[in-house]
Every structure is written in C-alpha cells, then in structure tokens.
Amino acid sequence: DAGITQSPRYKITETGRQVTLMCHQTWSHSYMFWYRQDLGHGLRLIYYSAAADITDKGEVPDGYVVSRSKTENFPLTLESATRSQTSVYFCASSAQRQGDGTGELFFGEGSRLTVL
Amino acid sequence: AQSVAQPEDQVNVAEGNPLTVKCTYSVSGNPYLFWYVQYPNRGLQFLLKYITGDNLVKGSYGFEAEFNKSQTSFHLKKPSALVSDSALYFCAVRDRGYGQNFVFGPGTRLSVLP
C-alpha cells in the first residue's frame, strides 16, 4: 500500500543499546522528517532531509543519527539509548520542492520506544 | 523565532454544537498555517492549511479555519460537532522565509460529549 510506514511500532530496549527506527515512504517525496512527541513538549523536530544524501539538524538532534541513501528510506538511529529518549517517534514526509514551504506533512503511525 | 500557542489544553463541547479550537502564532514574516488531528495511537493527519488568499479555509471532515492577520490567529471551527471529532488537535506554522521546519503548538484535546 502507498504511504509512509514506520517500524517497529513498539520497542523496548535498555540504556546504552543502539536502536534503529525505520521509515519508508512510497510517494517519492523529497522531504522527510523525524519528530518526537512527549507530554508537555508537543512535537519536536529531530532531523530532516531535503533529498537523498542531504540531512540537517532540527531542534533536538543530540544522541540521534540519520541517513538517507535512498529517497524512500530515512532511518533514525539512537547510538546509545538513554531513558530521556523514551518517547513516541514520528516520521513524516512532504512533497514540497526546494524553497517551497506550502506542502503539508504526511505522518507515519509512530514508533513507541521505551528505554529501561 | 516562530512560535505557536494553543491557549486551551482541553475543549469540551456537546454533540451538534459548534466547536472552536484556538491557535495564535508568531512569525517574522507571512506564515503558512496548518491544522492536524491525532487520534489515539495514530499519527497526525492533515486537516487544512492557509497559504494565501481567502481568509476562510475549508478542509477535511467539515472543518474550516479562519486566518486573522491582525490578531495573528488561525482558529479551527466546525458548525456541528460529532462524537467522532474527539481527538488531539495541533496547529502548526511554517515561516515562509525560515526553511522547512514546522513549529507545532502543544495541542488541544477536544472532547465531544453525546
């Protein structure tokens, strides 16, 4: 089915472990984003990507790594998970062109990560 | 810096009554404004957006929003609420001159009572 798919939907890990959250979109959207959603903080941008091999930091990038070797995939890696990274993570994409901010975001269903 | 305020954490309305979810914004230039809805354990879904033109924007599921530049507001409205409208609503702004980041408000939980 077309759309944006995140995996895993639920993950429990331990402090210090590496975790990768996957994001795959079938629309060939140029822009992709990773947000985290926390009570009291709303949605905060972690990283975004304007195209394959182009990524940039958002509001809260520390402790996270992204890559975008293919347009359709945008994995988010927590190199050494901490309890403060317990959150719900959302991947999103947008069809906008460079310099055009009118496009809306399309979100995945989210990945709920618990770090023990 | 861009910012979005949603002054009400919770809005309760009876089914069939009109609803309003409030949003005010702050950007350095002219904004692009968006509303999203989130149902439990789901991702955010796009409802509508204001880019330019008519200040009254119509969107999905019977929702509309009114852009008011002088009051820097973008309130979400619906003439007749449904129980199924109960969800978390987010207002978001993107500064035309800033880049690609959306700034989201904290969210307003709407409860429509039968």
Side-chain angles (χ1 to χ4, degrees), chain A residues 9 31 33 35 37 43 45 48 90 96 99-105 107-109 112, chain B residues 32 34 36 38 41-46 49 51 88 90 94 100-102 104-106:
Chain A
R9 291 291 313 279
Y31 279 85
F33 305 79
Y35 289 89
Q37 184 178 29
L43 280 150
L45 181 66
Y48 71 95
F90 288 100
Q96 69 216 48
D100 174 8
T102 62
E104 61 269 26
L105 294 173
F107 284 83
E109 294 291 276
R112 184 176 295 273
Chain B
Y32 297 138
F34 301 78
Y36 291 85
Q38 185 180 29
N41 299 314
R42 303 294 299 277
L44 280 71
Q45 297 177 32
F46 169 73
K49 64 182 177 183
I51 303 301
L88 189 57
F90 291 94
R94 174 183 267 170
Q100 303 308 324
N101 189 21
F102 285 80
F104 286 85

Side-chain angles (χ1 to χ4, degrees), chain A residues 61-101:
Chain A
D62 293 343
Y64 303 95
V65 175
V66 294
S67 62
R68 192 149 177 225
S69 57
K70 294 183 178 181
T71 299
E72 61 266 30
N73 296 323
F74 191 40
L76 176 73
T77 297
L78 288 68
E79 293 186 300
S80 179
T82 65
R83 291 182 181 174
S84 64
Q85 292 177 310
T86 292
S87 185
V88 181
Y89 292 86
F90 288 100
C91 181
S93 69
S94 180
Q96 69 216 48
R97 295 182 298 275
Q98 180 71 29
D100 174 8

Side-chain angles (χ1 to χ4, degrees), chain B residues 45-97:
Chain B
Q45 297 177 32
F46 169 73
L47 279 178
L48 51 79
K49 64 182 177 183
Y50 172 81
I51 303 301
T52 188
D54 194 345
N55 289 341
L56 185 64
V57 179
K58 294 188 183 297
S60 305
Y61 312 121
F63 284 94
E64 58 189 27
E66 186 170 11
F67 171 64
N68 187 317
K69 187 173 182 179
S70 62
Q71 296 186 4
T72 61
S73 68
F74 189 55
H75 300 331
L76 181 70
K77 301 180 180 182
K78 188 173 183 181
S80 179
L82 300 172
V83 172
S84 57
D85 292 330
S86 298
L88 189 57
Y89 289 81
F90 291 94
C91 182
V93 66
R94 174 183 267 170
D95 189 332
R96 297 181 184 210

Side-chain angles (χ1 to χ4, degrees), chain A:
Chain A
D1 289 341
I4 185 163
T5 306
Q6 292 185 234
S7 62
R9 291 291 313 279
Y10 302 91
K11 176 75 176 178
I12 300 174
T13 191
E14 295 177 337
T15 300
R17 291 191 178 269
Q18 183 178 82
V19 176
T20 296
L21 306 179
M22 305 300 293
C23 179
H24 175 79
Q25 53 108 350
T26 59
W27 291 303
S28 299
H29 286 170
S30 55
Y31 279 85
M32 296 188 74
F33 305 79
W34 274 106
Y35 289 89
R36 60 178 290 174
Q37 184 178 29
D38 304 287
L39 278 175
H41 291 281
L43 280 150
R44 292 180 291 175
L45 181 66
I46 305 171
Y47 270 95
Y48 71 95
S49 169
D53 298 321
I54 301 175
T55 62
D56 207 349
K57 295 178 179 179
E59 181 184 356
V60 289
D62 293 343
Y64 303 95
V65 175
V66 294
S67 62
R68 192 149 177 225
S69 57
K70 294 183 178 181
T71 299
E72 61 266 30
N73 296 323
F74 191 40
L76 176 73
T77 297
L78 288 68
E79 293 186 300
S80 179
T82 65
R83 291 182 181 174
S84 64
Q85 292 177 310
T86 292
S87 185
V88 181
Y89 292 86
F90 288 100
C91 181
S93 69
S94 180
Q96 69 216 48
R97 295 182 298 275
Q98 180 71 29
D100 174 8
T102 62
E104 61 269 26
L105 294 173
F106 295 87
F107 284 83
E109 294 291 276
S111 294
R112 184 176 295 273
L113 176 68
T114 301
V115 183
L116 302 176

Side-chain angles (χ1 to χ4, degrees), chain B residues 10-43:
Chain B
Q10 174 90 33
V11 170
N12 297 320
V13 63
E15 187 175 27
N17 283 2
L19 70 86
T20 298
V21 182
K22 296 179 181 178
C23 172
T24 59
Y25 65 89
S26 175
V27 298
S28 57
N30 291 319
Y32 297 138
L33 294 158
F34 301 78
W35 274 102
Y36 291 85
V37 60
Q38 185 180 29
Y39 298 100
N41 299 314
R42 303 294 299 277

